[in-house]
């Protein structure tokens, strides 16, 4: 018997003994006895009672809430902490997956109705993608915001599992001229959104899985449309219908919000501006925190781009005079949160922390002044406006009293 076999036998013996125990007494190194009760063997796990991390509830019933980015680790957002935006403030519909159907119709040769079980039988894919509300970090939403959860918490990142929408559309047979689609949710507000066929055929997914289990009701259980990198509102939850059409439909939910007249367009707005720009934010140290004192810190945060893969994140601790490359966590996924880290020694003096991300098609995260120029206006315009796709470099000011503050407009 070799060493490995012997160890395995010993393990099995011990395992067999433990299985019969309702309460195991564990003697720890310092001689204290800790009780582990059968409750710890509960079928669906819970975190330690000492952990308090939670979403920030923006709407009273939790129909809008933000991810606690300041304490997030790595790149995956636990499903329980994924941000929520459900318009019209309804609770998520309580859908029995056995009753739910997805209909694909309109300009197709074979209109189809799928049950959730039928969709799950099809070839599947799992992909890590972020989701971001088009209004995330917009000045009007962050008026009284102090923390990064409040300023940037309308983005999260999950591993999504489902089928490629292109597969369903090939089954249905898209007719000539069917260049757009309209997706509809089963919520009381009947969220609908138009999107072009090119995205449907490229990387769009109909997902039923999130981080290794069924997607949560808040995220669209049992089926959701995922248009990787595109503004949150296009990612229809509780997906029940996809209609192939010849042109965008200008549905109620897409014309009553998610646009902002731009001065540079003589007051007109950009419609169908789908992909989220390249963005990043330092999550620690960040707004509302108090640093314990001078010394070592790891500056860390998240970067993402709705158009590709993050290639580079630079960090400045002196308000943009000098920049250093941060280390990016491998593997880096396309259209996903990307964790960056940089060691920093804080000398106790005032500092201004910035992060600037670049993606693989060369988009560089703009400063507030750059962004204002693109919009044909001045930074002051943004203070009262409700710009969508607002992705400027976020400055956090570290004061000598050890407090950290949002310094975007100061
Ligand atoms: N059916 C439906 N889909 C929806 C919405 C909704 O209210 N109903 N909200 C949209 C908006 S505005 C955003 S930002 C994202 C939020 O997704 P999440 O709640 O899973 O984070 O869902 C989108 N899809
Ligand atoms: Mo949104």
């Amino acid at each position: 018997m070799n060493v490995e076999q012997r160890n395995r036998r010993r393990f099995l013996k011990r395992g067999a003994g433990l299985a019969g125990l309702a309460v195991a007494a564990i003697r720890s190194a310092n001689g204290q006895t800790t009780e582990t009760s059968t409750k710890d063997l509960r079928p669906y796990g819970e975190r330690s009672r000492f952990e308090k991390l939670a979403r920030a509830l923006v709407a009273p019933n939790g129909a809008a809430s933000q991810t606690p980015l300041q304490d997030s680790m790595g790149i995956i957002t636990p499903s329980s902490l994924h941000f929520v935006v459900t318009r019209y403030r309804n609770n998520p519909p309580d859908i029995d997956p056995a009753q739910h159907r997805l209909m694909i119709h309109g300009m197709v040769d074979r209109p189809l109705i799928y049950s959730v079980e039928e969709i799950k039988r099809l070839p599947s894919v799992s992909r890590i993608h972020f989701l971001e509300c088009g209004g995330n970090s917009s000045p009007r939403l962050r008026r009284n915001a102090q923390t990064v959860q409040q300023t940037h918490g309308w983005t999260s990142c999950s591993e999504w599992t489902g089928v490629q929408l292109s597969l369903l559309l090939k089954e249905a047979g898209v007719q000539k001229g069917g260049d757009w689609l309209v997706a509809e949710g089963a919520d009381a507000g009947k969220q609908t959104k138009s999107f072009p066929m090119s995205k449907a055929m490229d990387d769009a997914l109909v997902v039923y899985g999130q981080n290794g289990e069924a997607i949560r009701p808040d995220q669209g259980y049992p089926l959701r449309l995922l248009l990787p990198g595109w503004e949150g509102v296009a990612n229809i939850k509780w997906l029940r219908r996809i209609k192939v059409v010849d042109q965008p439909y200008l549905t109620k939910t897409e014309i009553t919000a998610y646009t902002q007249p731009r001065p540079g367009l003589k007051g007109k707005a950009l419609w169908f501006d789908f992909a989220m720009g390249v963005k990043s934010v330092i999550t620690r140290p960040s707004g509302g925190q108090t640093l314990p004192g001078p010394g070592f810190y790891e500056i860390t945060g998240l970067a993402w781009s709705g158009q590709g893969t993050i290639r580079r994140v630079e960090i400045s601790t002196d308000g943009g005079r000098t920049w250093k490359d941060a280390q990016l966590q491998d593997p880096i996924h396309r259209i996903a949160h990307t964790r960056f880290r940089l060691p920093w020694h804080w000398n106790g003096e005032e500092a201004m922390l910035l992060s600037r991300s670049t993606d693989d098609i060369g988009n560089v995260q703009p400063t507030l002044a750059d962004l204002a120029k693109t919009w044909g206006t001045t930074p002051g315009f943004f203070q009262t406006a409700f710009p969508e796709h607002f992705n400027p470099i976020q400055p956090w000011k570290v004061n000598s009293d050890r407090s950290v503050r949002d310094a975007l407009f100061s």
Side-chain angles (χ1 to χ4, degrees):
M1 200 159 52
N2 65 26
V3 177
E4 206 174 67
Q5 284 168 327
R6 261 202 311 274
N7 283 345
R8 177 147 174 79
R9 269 184 64 164
R10 225 181 289 148
F11 173 80
L12 284 174
K13 259 194 200 158
R14 248 191 279 147
L18 271 178
L21 276 187
V23 177
I26 297 163
R27 196 160 288 278
S28 64
N30 62 11
Q32 278 176 351
T33 298
T34 330
E35 296 267 296
T36 311
S37 77
T38 41
K39 258 177 70 191
D40 294 323
L41 306 175
R42 64 172 73 79
Y44 195 83
E46 275 173 39
R47 63 182 171 176
S48 159
R49 66 190 172 91
F50 299 106
E51 294 299 320
K52 303 290 183 214
L53 206 56
R55 299 191 282 215
L57 304 189
V58 179
N61 61 2
S65 63
Q66 297 166 302
T67 293
L69 296 176
Q70 66 282 358
D71 292 310
S72 67
M73 305 172 203
I75 61 168
I76 298 293
T77 311
S79 304
S80 50
L81 297 176
H82 195 288
F83 82 94
V84 182
V85 177
T86 294
R87 302 183 56 78
Y88 309 110
R89 310 242 161 142
N90 22 12
N91 286 319
D94 184 29
I95 298 177
D96 174 356
Q99 303 299 320
H100 190 75
R101 298 288 181 273
L102 170 62
M103 175 161 77
I104 299 182
H105 69 137
M107 298 172 72
V108 295
D109 294 333
R110 293 170 295 279
L112 296 169
I113 295 180
Y114 286 99
S115 69
V116 178
E117 270 315 305
E118 285 164 347
I119 290 206
K120 285 185 175 171
R121 282 177 57 190
L122 298 172
S124 62
V125 295
S126 290
R127 292 185 186 149
I128 295 176
H129 288 306
F130 78 85
L131 189 66
E132 183 181 20
C133 177
N136 190 30
S137 71
S138 194
R140 216 170 76 190
L141 291 174
R142 59 195 272 175
R143 239 181 231 162
N144 301 312
Q146 297 188 344
T147 67
V148 68
Q149 178 167 19
Q150 294 167 320
T151 61
H152 288 72
W154 269 308
T155 184
S156 303
C157 185
S158 292
E159 186 200 65
W160 305 97
T161 297
V163 300
Q164 292 174 272
L165 177 54
S166 59
L167 185 79
L168 305 181
L169 290 169
K170 275 171 209 154
E171 287 287 303
V174 175
Q175 293 173 349
K176 198 162 175 283
D179 294 334
W180 283 74
L181 306 95
V182 186
E184 179 187 82
D187 43 339
K190 259 212 310 193
Q191 181 90 7
T192 45
K193 184 81 179 113
S194 313
F195 63 104
M197 187 59 74
S198 53
K199 184 66 172 177
M201 289 303 184
D202 178 15
D203 59 359
L205 303 175
V206 172
V207 298
Y208 45 79
Q210 182 186 9
N211 300 330
E213 62 179 354
I215 53 173
R216 296 285 167 101
D218 275 330
Q219 264 67 60
Y221 181 87
L223 290 179
R224 143 174 244 163
L225 178 65
L226 198 80
L227 302 184
W230 285 20
E231 52 184 11
V233 66
N235 297 261
I236 296 295
K237 306 193 272 191
W238 315 294
L239 181 68
R240 71 168 178 195
R241 191 157 76 96
I242 292 176
K243 188 175 183 184
V244 177
V245 295
D246 57 347
Q247 56 182 312
Y249 258 36
L250 302 175
T251 66
K252 178 187 72 182
T253 41
E254 63 192 320
I255 60 170
T256 52
Y258 295 97
T259 55
Q260 163 75 49
R262 294 191 178 196
L265 299 176
K266 303 207 163 58
K268 287 184 181 165
L270 258 190
W271 257 335
F272 305 117
D273 178 20
F274 289 116
M276 299 306 288
V278 67
K279 195 162 174 177
S280 72
V281 68
I282 294 170
T283 53
R284 205 181 59 224
S286 59
Q289 297 181 336
T290 304
L291 302 185
F296 174 82
Y297 290 88
E298 180 181 73
I299 296 176
T300 184
L302 295 166
W304 61 95
S305 167
Q307 294 163 39
T309 309
I310 291 295
R311 275 284 171 266
R312 185 179 196 193
V313 177
E314 299 152 282
I315 290 178
S316 174
T317 56
D318 56 14
R321 275 189 294 279
T322 61
W323 295 87
K324 268 189 194 149
D325 276 306
Q327 199 189 340
L328 304 183
Q329 176 182 311
D330 277 329
I332 304 171
H333 297 271
R334 178 178 166 267
I335 310 189
H337 281 178
T338 301
R339 171 67 57 180
F340 62 84
R341 302 177 166 102
L342 184 77
W344 178 49
H345 182 90
W346 184 44
N347 61 11
E349 287 164 22
E350 223 175 76
M352 188 74 86
L353 310 183
L354 316 176
S355 64
R356 176 170 66 196
S357 57
T358 304
D359 68 17
D360 62 343
I361 58 170
N363 297 308
V364 181
Q365 186 179 8
T367 61
L368 183 66
D370 294 337
L371 195 66
K373 225 176 273 167
T374 309
W375 276 62
T377 185
T378 54
F381 168 82
F382 290 126
Q383 265 179 297
T384 52
F386 193 172
E388 297 284 326
H389 295 245
F390 188 70
N391 66 331
I393 290 173
Q394 169 63 43
W396 299 120
K397 187 175 178 202
V398 181
N399 297 298
S400 46
D401 69 0
R402 301 183 286 116
S403 65
V404 187
R405 298 269 180 266
D406 174 11
L408 183 62
F409 288 107
S410 58

